[in-house]
Amino acid sequence: MALDENMVIPGHVALILDGNGRWAKKRGLPRTMGHKEGCVTVEKTVEIAARMGIRYLTVYGFSTENWKRSAEEVGALMQLFRYYMVRLLKIASANNVRVRMIGDRSRFAPDIIEGINRLERETADNTGLTFVIAVNYGGRDEILRAARAYALDCVEGRADPNHLTQENFSGYLFSRGVPDPDLIIRPSGELRLSNFLLWESAYAEFYFTDVLWPDFSKAELLRAIASYQSRAR
């Protein structure tokens, strides 16, 4: 499927990266191989999105619930994260991509935290696509943290609860400064948000596909955008 020059490209596309484990199981491979292949798909998608003119691309990389997986799988995911942060820095530099992480990074090992900080720092002046990675992220956790921060500001006199607006509250979220997603895509056949961008997705369009994340392609992204374009906004 080719890019139609008349296609309306959404400004912000968000992706729930689902299906890595099932992709590996179908091939008789360990789950970690599915996650590794999923990272390759992320790389390709970042480059494709940057060339298409998408301004913001957010991916659900690691949720607050993912810590409940086996210690072996979580450990393997952390090692993959370390490896791909280095690769992502090269990809971002080559494609003028700015990288931003949202979520509670404090639970990660110090070297991973430093890697996240380095990614953000060294890509901060890039002016193309903003690539947002949600790590140790959960929508409910984000809203609770924002509510606590706002309540503290009220107690300490920095905010007035009688003048709270949606815009004010958004400034307390992990995603502050990032526009709400226009289109949320979930592969793998599941039909739920899974605690992803709960506040931000209030007016987003959704696209669900049976394609497993490692098999997600430019053609599938174009199908999602074509579906988005066909809806009355």
Side-chain angles (χ1 to χ4, degrees):
M1 186 174 184
L3 178 63
D4 183 342
E5 62 180 15
N6 296 316
M7 182 174 281
V8 177
I9 303 297
H12 184 178
V13 175
L15 288 155
I16 299 173
L17 311 185
D18 195 18
N20 294 332
R22 274 169 283 173
W23 183 91
K25 185 177 180 180
K26 282 175 63 177
R27 291 161 177 77
L29 300 170
R31 287 177 62 87
T32 52
M33 290 303 296
H35 294 307
K36 185 174 181 180
E37 193 64 27
C39 288
V40 173
T41 303
V42 169
E43 290 182 17
K44 295 175 181 176
T45 305
V46 169
E47 293 179 324
I48 291 166
R51 295 192 189 108
M52 288 175 62
I54 293 170
R55 297 302 301 167
Y56 292 85
L57 180 72
T58 298
V59 299
Y60 204 3
F62 190 87
S63 75
T64 51
E65 289 77 23
N66 285 158
W67 296 106
K68 298 174 184 176
R69 297 184 179 184
S70 70
E72 180 183 6
E73 185 173 358
V74 170
L77 284 168
M78 293 301 107
Q79 286 301 103
L80 269 176
F81 198 23
R82 289 179 171 96
Y83 173 70
Y84 277 99
M85 278 195 297
V86 176
R87 286 188 56 82
L88 182 55
L89 186 57
K90 296 177 182 178
I91 293 166
S93 299
N95 292 276
N96 192 29
V97 169
R98 180 165 64 108
V99 180
R100 178 170 168 186
M101 302 270 181
I102 61 172
D104 176 20
R105 64 189 70 180
S106 66
R107 188 169 176 178
F108 293 114
D111 66 305
I112 291 180
I113 295 172
E114 174 50 34
I116 292 171
N117 293 340
R118 183 187 176 199
L119 262 174
E120 292 184 327
R121 185 173 61 248
E122 296 193 13
T123 65
D125 294 330
N126 291 346
T127 57
L129 170 77
T130 295
F131 179 44
V132 183
I133 308 176
V135 288
N136 195 23
Y137 173 90
R140 288 182 174 181
D141 179 61
E142 176 182 39
I143 293 170
L144 281 174
R145 288 172 181 272
R148 292 190 194 108
Y150 177 71
L152 181 61
D153 277 356
C154 289
V155 169
E156 297 185 351
R158 291 186 295 270
D160 179 354
N162 295 310
H163 295 92
L164 178 64
T165 65
Q166 293 182 27
E167 291 72 21
N168 295 151
F169 190 75
S170 293
Y172 290 87
L173 299 172
F174 286 132
S175 63
R176 55 189 169 273
V178 176
D180 291 344
D182 300 294
L183 172 64
I184 295 179
I185 301 170
R186 178 158 193 161
S188 85
E190 303 295 344
L191 304 175
R192 60 181 183 271
L193 267 177
S194 294
N195 204 18
F196 182 51
L197 300 179
L198 299 182
W199 175 278
E200 298 88 345
S201 65
Y203 294 100
E205 298 290 339
F206 292 85
Y207 178 81
F208 299 100
T209 173
D210 290 332
V211 172
L212 301 176
W213 173 248
D215 292 327
F216 193 86
S217 62
K218 180 180 180 180
E220 194 63 36
L221 178 59
L222 288 172
R223 278 190 280 273
I225 293 174
S227 174
Y228 164 83
Q229 185 180 22
S230 70
R231 302 175 194 176
R233 295 282 289 173

